[in-house]
Amino acid sequence: KCLVALSFLERHCFLCVSLNSTYFMACARAAIAARVADAGPSGPGARRASTRLCAVHVSAGTGAASRTFVPKRFGAKRAHHSRGHPALAQAVAVNKATRSIDEMDMDPEHVTFASMDELDASASMDCAGGVCTIAIEDITSPVMEDMEQMRMNLRDIIGRKNPLLLAAADQIFGAGGKRLRPVLVFLVARATAQLMGLDDITDRQRRLAEITEMIHTASLVHDDVLDDCDTRRGEATIHTLYGTRVAILAGDFLFAQSSWYLANLDNLEVIKLISQVIADFADGEISQAGSLYNVDVTLEEYLEKSHNKTASLIAASCKSAAVFSGVSDDIKVDMYEYGKHLGLAFQVVDDILDFTQTEAQLGKPQGQDLATGNLTAPILFALRRNENGTGEELRGLIKGRFENAPGDLARSIEIVNAFGIEDARRLAREEADMALSSLKGLPEGEAKTSLVGMVEYVLERIY
């Protein structure tokens, strides 16, 4: 988790030292971004030939460095294994006993520097303007078959007995959408099954993934009705296409069906976990509705609301997947903590994007949370900063509900972008780090790699 700049043979070099592939990717992106920023007046890429990225993955073994290679695409076929530890993105391997940068073996026989041209040509990163993308397809690849089976089951469930809802089923569970929550269920199920030496995941874990997606989708369908949203992620919402009656019925049916399936899992621990999620949804909505335009909302209250609305379902479903693998209580707790902190990071990132992305990217007007009085992390941080009186100014604008002058909302968004975004980014990173630390008890493998990659995928949207 270390990023160091050093001079090597009079060439600018970033040295990425990490035991974790995700931290390597973050470091690599920083180095590439620095290369772009460092291009100077001579134009983009002017210093390409003199810039190097040195990617160092520390081996767990005690022997000398073995070999180097150009990184493979994240999630692709595993490259070199050093003493049984996969190195997803490794250009240089060094001895774990190395205690400082100065002690590293820099013998040219063992060290190879990949040029930026080589890195750009590599399939490991898809970079545009110095920002590299971790493809969601690579993260979900270990569970793609599981996900397709689940999607077909869900579409059949809602449409088979209810012709009225068949068209809505096509819209809700048709092709498309990332469906991150069931992906996480399957990944945790496979990682914990590997931990316990099981040949495959269980039918109850597959049903759990369906339950998780039904609960999440039901909450979205109802939210869209409450908020009178015409579109979601650029697509028309159910109540816009088929009317409020069909939307309410579809959401109610999904909640009812998920409850029935949950009861039939015949596991009291899981039933309690998932039932609490539905209660948390209601608490979160009530809390949000009762605190609109309230400039005295604390960060702790915001995080509690975000937990109830977003993180609770992810945390409970991750822990429930672990329960069905028969793991120890410590691993169950770790999986809950992973889901909770990933969910909080996800929510903070969404709240940041509400200010930093364009209306075309968001599929809705920029600053919509602020305009409706929903005070999110970036807004709360901007209120705290109060540099040159901006915090007090923002406080007054929010209290006036942006109705005192035509430019009130635009000015408020400007203040939040200037004084709230960076602190919110740090909060998202802190939550992401706690999620990553919760994976310590899982064995190395494709499922764990994807769980790690999911954290970085969530974060990369804000950089």
Side-chain angles (χ1 to χ4, degrees):
K1 197 178 175 180
C2 173
L3 178 61
V4 226
L6 73 158
S7 175
F8 183 80
L9 298 179
E10 298 182 341
R11 294 170 186 253
H12 184 64
C13 173
F14 273 85
L15 181 65
C16 303
V17 185
S18 177
L19 284 166
N20 182 297
S21 62
T22 295
Y23 291 135
F24 163 78
M25 294 296 290
C27 175
R29 285 200 303 276
I32 292 172
R35 180 257 299 186
V36 172
D38 200 30
S42 299
R47 296 186 59 185
R48 291 171 71 90
S50 63
T51 308
R52 297 291 185 268
L53 181 66
C54 322
V56 182
H57 186 99
V58 183
S59 167
T62 57
S66 50
R67 70 182 179 90
T68 63
F69 67 97
V70 176
K72 299 289 185 185
R73 183 177 177 85
F74 182 90
K77 183 179 179 181
R78 298 296 180 266
H80 173 63
H81 287 248
S82 177
R83 303 275 183 175
H85 290 255
L88 282 177
Q90 171 179 345
V92 185
V94 298
N95 189 340
K96 188 179 181 182
T98 301
R99 300 183 182 278
S100 71
I101 299 293
D102 294 335
E103 294 175 20
M104 287 184 178
D105 179 5
M106 289 296 181
D107 186 331
E109 182 180 347
H110 298 131
V111 178
T112 300
F113 295 100
S115 70
M116 290 311 304
D117 289 331
E118 291 171 319
L119 285 172
D120 288 345
S122 167
S124 65
M125 304 174 190
D126 177 17
C127 300
V131 179
C132 302
T133 301
I134 299 175
I136 188 63
E137 292 80 7
D138 294 331
I139 295 173
T140 59
S141 61
V143 296
M144 284 303 293
E145 291 183 8
D146 301 324
M147 288 295 296
E148 180 58 21
Q149 179 181 332
M150 182 208 73
R151 187 182 71 81
M152 296 303 294
N153 287 347
L154 286 175
R155 185 177 175 277
D156 185 54
I157 287 166
I158 195 172
R160 182 181 59 226
K161 298 179 182 178
N162 302 275
L164 175 65
L165 302 180
L166 183 58
D170 285 331
Q171 177 74 4
I172 295 172
F173 297 120
K178 298 180 179 67
R179 312 199 192 287
L180 298 185
R181 289 155 187 82
V183 165
L184 288 169
V185 170
F186 284 128
L187 289 174
V188 170
R190 292 207 170 275
T192 52
Q194 180 186 348
L195 177 66
M196 301 305 292
L198 305 178
D199 292 333
D200 199 1
I201 63 175
T202 67
D203 289 339
R204 290 195 292 180
Q205 286 167 326
R206 295 185 187 280
R207 182 65 82 188
L208 175 66
E210 294 172 4
I211 292 169
T212 299
E213 185 64 3
M214 280 192 281
I215 292 174
H216 173 62
T217 304
S219 71
L220 294 184
V221 172
H222 282 177
D223 281 353
D224 289 340
V225 174
L226 287 172
D227 299 336
D228 196 22
C229 293
D230 294 331
T231 61
R232 177 175 288 276
R233 299 184 183 90
E235 297 292 333
T237 54
I238 299 300
H239 79 277
T240 301
L241 290 172
Y242 306 108
T244 299
R245 181 168 176 263
V246 170
I248 293 295
L249 286 173
D252 287 349
F253 177 80
L254 287 170
F255 274 128
Q257 193 69 51
S258 66
S259 298
W260 171 247
Y261 282 158
L262 179 61
N264 280 278
L265 289 178
D266 200 26
N267 184 293
L268 186 58
E269 182 177 8
V270 171
I271 290 172
K272 287 181 176 180
L273 280 167
I274 304 299
S275 297
Q276 182 62 50
V277 169
I278 299 175
D280 287 343
F281 278 163
D283 286 344
E285 286 294 340
I286 293 168
S287 172
Q288 179 170 306
S291 60
L292 297 178
Y293 300 101
N294 181 2
V295 293
D296 295 318
V297 169
T298 65
L299 185 63
E300 290 70 27
E301 289 170 334
Y302 160 80
L303 289 172
E304 182 179 359
K305 179 199 71 175
S306 298
H307 171 269
N308 290 340
K309 290 193 63 178
T310 303
S312 177
L313 176 59
I314 300 174
S317 56
C318 285
K319 181 176 180 180
S320 297
V323 167
F324 288 130
S325 290
V327 299
S328 67
D329 288 343
D330 287 345
I331 297 297
K332 292 178 191 176
V333 171
D334 283 345
M335 294 303 95
Y336 186 91
E337 291 298 304
Y338 170 80
K340 180 180 78 172
H341 292 297
L342 176 63
L344 289 173
F346 187 92
Q347 185 60 59
V348 175
V349 168
D350 260 9
D351 294 340
I352 291 170
L353 295 179
D354 192 50
F355 291 95
T356 60
Q357 287 192 332
T358 64
E359 183 172 344
Q361 290 172 312
L362 289 168
K364 61 179 182 179
Q366 188 185 45
Q368 189 70 11
D369 286 332
L370 180 59
T372 57
N374 178 25
L375 305 192
T376 58
I379 303 167
L380 297 179
F381 283 122
L383 285 167
R384 284 180 173 186
R385 290 286 290 271
N386 200 31
E387 294 187 18
N388 300 319
T390 53
E392 284 302 317
E393 181 185 359
L394 180 60
R395 178 179 289 262
L397 292 169
I398 293 171
K399 283 183 174 181
R401 304 197 176 197
F402 319 108
E403 295 176 349
N404 295 328
D408 281 358
L409 181 59
R411 173 58 181 160
S412 299
I413 292 173
E414 180 184 344
I415 293 172
V416 174
N417 273 318
F419 300 106
I421 300 301
E422 285 308 313
D423 287 339
R425 280 177 174 157
R426 278 191 287 273
L427 176 61
R429 179 74 260 181
E430 289 169 7
E431 294 294 340
D433 285 343
M434 286 188 279
L436 287 171
S437 69
S438 300
L439 298 175
K440 58 186 180 297
L442 296 182
E444 298 297 332
E446 283 190 337
K448 180 178 180 179
T449 295
S450 288
L451 288 170
V452 170
M454 187 70 79
V455 177
E456 199 63 30
Y457 172 77
V458 167
L459 281 184
E460 78 160 2
R461 296 184 299 159
I462 55 175
Y463 292 102

